[in-house]
Amino acid sequence: MSHTIVMTGASRGIGRVALDEIRRRDPDAHVVVVARTDLGDGTVTADLSSLRSVRDAATAIRDRLDRGDLPPLRAFVGNAGVQHTNALVTGPDGFESTFTVNVLANHVFVRVLQDRFATPGRVVITTSDTHFGDFRHNLGLVPGPVWQSPDVLARPGAFPDPSSAAAGRTAYSTSKLATIHLVHEYARRLPPGVTAVAYNPAFVPGTGLTRDAGPVVRFAVRRILPAMTWTPWATSPAAAGRYLADVILGAIDAPNGSYVDLGAVVPSSPESYDPRRERELWDAAERLTGVGV
C-alpha cells in the first residue's frame, strides 16, 4: 500500500544512500525530502536552524496528508545533523545551532505529525556513538557530552571556552545524547502503534558533517580518514546508509525506544537512561519550540 516517508538529511551522505535504497526496495514509498534548497521531486524546503521554518514545513506536510495529496504517513526520519567549530553559532530564534538542528527541529516534526501516522508507524532519529564519551567509541576525536539544563544547552556559549573547536564538538556529542533522551520519551508518549528508534551510523568519514571545520580537518576527513572504513573503527557512507534504510523499512527488529548500532540493537550509554532528565528535556523542547502551546 502506498505510504509517505518524511526525511531530513537526505541530500548527501548516508541519508542520500538511504533514500536511494528506500526508492529501490520500497516502490510503494512516497518519500518527502525536507532540505534547505529545492531538489525537485516533492522536496519541502526548510531551514532547520529556524524553528519557524521547520514548523511551516511540518505544517505544510500535515496539511497535504489531511487533504489526501500524500498517502498515509508511515515514517519520519530525522537524519540531518550539524557540527560547528564552536558553540556560539545561533539561528534566527537565538538558539545555539547544533542543539536547534540536531534536537529541536526533530521535535517539531515529531509533534506536528504525530497524530497523522498510520500504523505501524516509525520515528527514526539519527544519533551518534559520541554520546558515550569514551575512546572506544570515537577514538578520542570528540569530547564526551556535558549535560546541563536544556535551557542552558539551547543557548550559545553553554560550554567552557565556547569559541573553541572542542566546545563545538562537545555541543555535538551533548546534542546526540539529547536525541536518545527524547527517543526514550517518544517511546512513552507517541500514539500506540508508532515506535521511536535511535540509529547510530558509527564513525562515517567523508560525509558533510565537518564542512564547517578548518581546511586541515576537512582534508583529513575527506582524503585520509576514509581509508579507515577498511578497519573496524569506521563505516563507509554506503554501509551506514543501507543500515539506516533497514531501520526505516523495518528490516531490523528494533523495539520501541531502542538504540540501533548499525545493524544491531544494543544498549546506549548508561548516562542515556535517565527518566527525570528525559522528562525535563521534553518539557523544555515543548516550551522552546512552541509545539506544546
Side-chain angles (χ1 to χ4, degrees), residues 200-252:
N200 169 46
F203 175 45
V204 187
T207 68
L209 187 62
T210 56
R211 57 186 174 273
D212 292 331
V216 174
V217 173
R218 292 200 307 271
F219 176 82
V221 169
R222 294 174 182 174
R223 302 299 182 184
I224 299 174
L225 294 182
M228 292 182 63
T229 59
W230 295 98
T231 75
W233 296 102
T235 310
S236 70
R242 287 194 300 269
Y243 282 121
L244 175 56
D246 287 343
V247 176
I248 297 165
L249 297 176
I252 295 173

Side-chain angles (χ1 to χ4, degrees), residues 147-187:
W147 190 260
Q148 302 179 69
S149 161
D151 289 288
V152 173
L153 296 175
R155 301 293 177 178
F159 306 101
D161 194 8
S163 62
S164 68
R169 290 193 288 269
T170 302
Y172 177 79
S173 63
T174 306
S175 75
K176 291 304 184 178
L177 175 60
T179 63
I180 300 173
H181 283 324
L182 277 181
V183 163
H184 293 163
E185 198 66 18
Y186 295 151

Side-chain angles (χ1 to χ4, degrees), residues 105-193:
N106 289 328
H107 189 69
V108 172
F109 276 109
V110 170
R111 293 289 279 122
V112 171
L113 297 175
Q114 71 172 43
D115 293 328
R116 301 312 194 270
F117 278 93
T119 55
R122 175 159 286 192
V123 170
V124 179
I125 307 296
T126 298
T127 185
S128 168
D129 53 8
T130 60
H131 85 278
F132 281 90
D134 57 17
F135 184 85
R136 172 175 170 262
H137 287 90
N138 63 60
L139 303 179
L141 296 173
V142 180
V146 178
W147 190 260
Q148 302 179 69
S149 161
D151 289 288
V152 173
L153 296 175
R155 301 293 177 178
F159 306 101
D161 194 8
S163 62
S164 68
R169 290 193 288 269
T170 302
Y172 177 79
S173 63
T174 306
S175 75
K176 291 304 184 178
L177 175 60
T179 63
I180 300 173
H181 283 324
L182 277 181
V183 163
H184 293 163
E185 198 66 18
Y186 295 151
R188 300 182 186 102
R189 294 177 183 261
L190 287 175

Side-chain angles (χ1 to χ4, degrees), residues 29 31-32 36 41 48 54 57 71 214 257 285 292:
V31 184
V32 176
R36 183 183 291 270
D41 196 21
L48 297 183
V54 172

